[in-house]
Amino acid sequence: MPSLCLGMMWAAAVLALWLPSSCLTSAADVTITQVNYTDTHDDTLLMGFVAKPDSLGGDEKRPGLVILPPWHGVGQYAQERMSSFAQEGNYVVLAADIFGNGALPETTEDRVAQVTIYRSNLDLTISRIESAINVLKNDPHVDPTRIALVGYCFGGTIGLMYAMAGHDASAVIAFHGSISYFSDKELPSVPVVPKVLILSGGEDTQDSTKSVIDMEGALNHG
């Protein structure tokens, strides 16, 4: 079975334990809508997407998930992951726009440029994520006390940045996030609030053994 499929199964199983939904009996039809919101940090317009199970009742609240996309932006891949979690887990899911104005960088150079902005500016990155979380907190169908982050590659890295900086969420799950990013950083001496699941390839050369050990120590310290 492909490793990504196994990772998705792990994530779904962990979320079912950490963030149980009131309705997990079968896959649900979902409705997807575009949602525009603003990051007050720099007044940037953000253009994300929300997927909701059609089975939602009038006053019913479900746990919320924020999908943090890879460096392609909030495009097809992020929206597919959003739809999958909404269908299979019956969550309310937001695919978050990090780059602003729904940008979808097309070249490697453009993607590197965007990623570099957020990897080097923690305040901006945290503000982008908190703006997305607030969209779900203000949604009448979301339980504001049960919101998790699921990030892929670049999205996994910034999800870990959020968790390691001591910010609150029910859980953070990182697929192929850069653990090595944190090796040369002085990690904040603050508690890690969310439950954290890191899913990375054991033979992936992007993360050294030392970086994995350092991350484990930082999480245990938190």
Side-chain angles (χ1 to χ4, degrees), residues 179-180 183 202-217:
I179 300 173
S180 292
S183 292
E203 298 180 0
D204 194 331
T205 58
Q206 85 163 1
D207 293 320
S208 66
T209 300
K210 180 180 182 303
S211 68
V212 174
I213 293 172
D214 289 346
M215 175 60 78
E216 181 179 355

Side-chain angles (χ1 to χ4, degrees), residues 11-28 53 55 60 62-63 65 84-92 146:
V14 168
L15 280 172
L17 292 172
W18 288 350
L19 207 67
S21 173
S22 59
C23 178
L24 288 170
T25 56
S26 62
S55 58
E60 185 179 2
R62 299 274 176 87
L65 298 183
S84 177
F85 278 112
Q87 290 172 338
E88 302 298 330
N90 285 283
Y91 301 107
V92 176
R146 297 196 293 164

Side-chain angles (χ1 to χ4, degrees), residues 82-161:
M82 171 193 70
S83 297
S84 177
F85 278 112
Q87 290 172 338
E88 302 298 330
N90 285 283
Y91 301 107
V92 176
V93 189
L94 168 69
D97 179 13
I98 302 298
F99 300 147
N101 295 293
L104 302 174
E106 295 184 358
T107 67
T108 298
E109 291 76 11
D110 289 342
R111 292 166 184 165
V112 169
Q114 286 285 357
V115 166
T116 301
I117 291 171
Y118 295 91
R119 285 168 59 112
S120 61
N121 189 335
L122 179 61
D123 289 342
L124 177 61
T125 299
I126 296 304
S127 187
R128 287 286 195 270
I129 295 174
E130 288 183 336
S131 296
I133 291 173
N134 285 336
V135 170
L136 290 183
K137 283 185 174 180
N138 292 322
D139 189 302
H141 290 121
V142 174
D143 179 347
T145 67
R146 297 196 293 164
I147 296 176
L149 310 177
V150 181
Y152 298 87
C153 297
F154 161 68
T157 303
I158 64 173
L160 292 174
M161 290 169 65

Side-chain angles (χ1 to χ4, degrees), residues 59-83:
D59 295 328
E60 185 179 2
K61 293 183 182 293
R62 299 274 176 87
L65 298 183
V66 175
I67 301 296
L68 301 173
W71 69 353
H72 308 87
V74 61
Q76 180 179 353
Y77 183 82
Q79 292 179 50
E80 286 175 351
R81 301 282 73 78
M82 171 193 70
S83 297

